[in-house]
Amino acid sequence: MTNKDELEKELLEQVYHENCPGCKVDRQKRMHTGLPVKELIFIWIVVLCVALPISSLFPFLYFMIKDFNIAEKEEDISYYAGFVGSAYMIGRALTSVFWGVVADKYGRKPVILLGTSTVVIFNTLFGFSVNYWMAIATRFLLGFLNGLLGPIKAYACELFPEEHQALGLSAISTSWGIGLIIGPALGGYLAQPAEKFPSLVSSDSLFGRFPYLLPCLCISIFAFFVTIAAFWLPETLHFHKKDELESASYDTEEKSNKEKESTLGSLLKNWPLMSSIIVYCVFSLHDMAYSEIFSLWAVSPKSLGGLNYTTEDVGTVLSVTGAGLLTFQFTLYPIMERIFGPIVVARIAGVLSIPLLTSYPFIAMLSGFALSLTLNCASIAKNVLSVSIITGTFMLQNKAVDQHQRGAANGIAMTMQSICKAIGPACGGALLSWAQQRQKAAFLPGNVFSYTAFGDQMIFFILNIIEAIGIILTFKPFLITHHY
């Protein structure tokens, strides 16, 4: 009997329901055993669409808050900026489990479509913000109505054959990381176009009156086309009517699976899962705080220890970083992961991140080409290390549960992660504002070498403490894994 005959016999033996979208996907997976390139591209683009608006505001947020005239002193701008940055994550934290339940009941595809549509509407409205509270409200609603990231992890596991599921999950984390780099790059290049391109954009035009609309609108247009394309995505959830169940054994199995899915307590008692989620959240908090602090620090004036960069300068740095990160993820990381495993790679990356962050205050002492070269190299290295850690912990999280539990598990992970990511920008902005007011403090001061040496050593010291805690948590007895 040939392989083709064996495959056809296996398909005939499977319980298949003609009108069930999940069964159609399962049948297609068994018939096509090659690398699912088209599906990978679909997943990659959808995740990129949602990731872009999360951090695209960071390069221009300092100037946006300044334009709102809500901060009494320049040192307070970072404090107010932190709450705008965290509004998205607060909204997402409140509804992640809810959207996971909706995806389990009504399908993955409706939640995906709603998520991409939300980017189109509320990211555009954020660009039209005329005051501080409108900015916070639109960012909050952008997160509140966007429950895509949790269900799409389960979607990737259901869409790909078992041998390619790890690749699908890796594609999500890679696309997410790239989006968090490209988003700020777009924000940096396209914000305040009337000031950067006065010959093309007048101060009286739409983009002149709303100087932060252009980057938001570009991302929203991309999200619009992704939303249209997403209508052709296959649904992976199984919908079976009771009279269509062809055997009592199948009915019993499906009932058992539903009971397992509904037992949230069993997931909370799954320590390999919960420990990996906690480690993931600690590093996520660090990375989200770093993303906002980096952009706010770069555009802060030299007198406050910043680099006095423009939004375009920040965009250039982040563009170079994105190119370096993309190259690393598709070349070196898979090799390192195969050799060392995800946990060891995460530990090495965490340890290397600490001296790298410690060097940031001294980078501000440089100028000209030396500053540009050093900052670009440091930014590439920091983001490469961060994505290595996140990808590793993300893989552990999804390996800790069976496939039928991943929807609920990802809902728990997204809720906890969103809380941490909400804390990151809010505390990061407040701490940076506080640090810029202590230029001549006795402990970790800014005037060890000179007054302009960078008065924010304390903020990077705190980031390193969080990183160190995350590294410690990757060891036993805290982190327990079954697969590595």
Side-chain angles (χ1 to χ4, degrees), residues 122-379:
F122 291 101
N123 192 57
T124 303
L125 289 175
F126 176 72
F128 279 108
S129 295
V130 294
N131 57 54
Y132 181 70
W133 297 110
M134 181 177 176
I136 284 187
T138 51
R139 289 289 295 181
F140 174 82
L141 290 172
L142 180 61
F144 188 85
L145 297 173
N146 196 331
L148 183 152
L149 187 59
I152 206 167
K153 294 175 185 176
Y155 183 76
C157 292
E158 296 159 357
L159 188 63
F160 298 123
E162 187 174 352
E163 63 269 23
H164 295 306
Q165 285 179 7
L167 182 62
L169 295 173
S170 178
I172 291 175
S173 61
T174 303
S175 178
W176 189 260
I178 294 296
L180 296 182
I181 297 296
I182 296 177
L186 288 173
Y189 278 128
L190 301 179
Q192 300 170 313
E195 296 181 15
K196 295 174 184 172
F197 318 108
S199 60
L200 298 175
V201 181
S202 69
S203 57
D204 296 329
S205 65
L206 179 66
F207 296 123
R209 289 183 288 115
F210 298 96
Y212 313 106
L213 173 62
L214 184 57
C216 296
L217 190 61
C218 288
I219 293 173
S220 296
I221 291 173
F222 172 64
F224 174 76
F225 286 109
V226 172
T227 303
I228 299 300
F231 277 99
W232 280 269
L233 286 174
E235 177 58 68
T236 59
L237 194 64
H238 288 268
F239 294 100
H240 299 160
K241 294 179 180 179
K242 290 183 179 180
D243 57 357
E244 290 179 339
L245 297 178
E246 299 179 7
S247 66
S249 60
Y250 187 87
D251 182 54
T252 303
E253 181 182 353
E254 184 162 81
K255 183 178 179 181
S256 175
N257 286 340
K258 287 182 178 180
E259 287 175 354
K260 288 179 181 178
E261 289 174 353
S262 64
T263 56
L264 188 62
S266 66
L267 290 176
L268 295 175
K269 294 176 182 178
N270 182 342
W271 187 245
L273 170 66
M274 296 308 298
S275 61
S276 62
I277 289 176
I278 292 170
V279 172
Y280 182 50
C281 288
V282 171
F283 284 117
S284 294
L285 184 153
H286 173 277
D287 291 346
M288 200 66 183
Y290 167 81
S291 296
E292 173 154 341
I293 287 168
F294 177 82
S295 295
L296 292 174
W297 165 61
V299 299
S300 295
K302 284 279 188 180
S303 61
L304 295 178
L307 304 180
N308 202 30
Y309 267 26
T310 64
T311 55
E312 188 175 5
D313 294 331
V314 176
T316 301
V317 173
L318 293 175
S319 295
V320 174
T321 300
L325 181 61
L326 188 62
T327 303
F328 171 81
Q329 252 335 76
F330 285 104
T331 55
L332 295 179
Y333 181 80
I335 299 173
M336 293 173 60
E337 194 274 330
R338 282 197 300 269
I339 296 173
F340 300 106
I343 295 181
V344 175
V345 171
R347 288 171 185 161
I348 293 172
V351 170
L352 293 176
S353 294
I354 291 176
L356 180 62
L357 273 180
T358 303
S359 71
Y360 270 52
F362 304 101
I363 292 176
M365 298 169 62
L366 304 174
S367 61
F369 177 75
L371 171 61
S372 178
L373 177 63
T374 307
L375 186 65
N376 276 283
C377 291
S379 180

Side-chain angles (χ1 to χ4, degrees), residues 10 25-26 119 244 257 295 338 355 457:
E10 181 184 348
V25 170
D26 287 346
V119 174
E244 290 179 339
N257 286 340
S295 295
R338 282 197 300 269
Q457 293 186 44

Side-chain angles (χ1 to χ4, degrees), residues 375-391:
L375 186 65
N376 276 283
C377 291
S379 180
I380 291 173
K382 178 65 182 74
N383 283 278
V384 160
L385 296 173
S386 293
V387 169
S388 297
I389 296 169
I390 292 299
T391 302

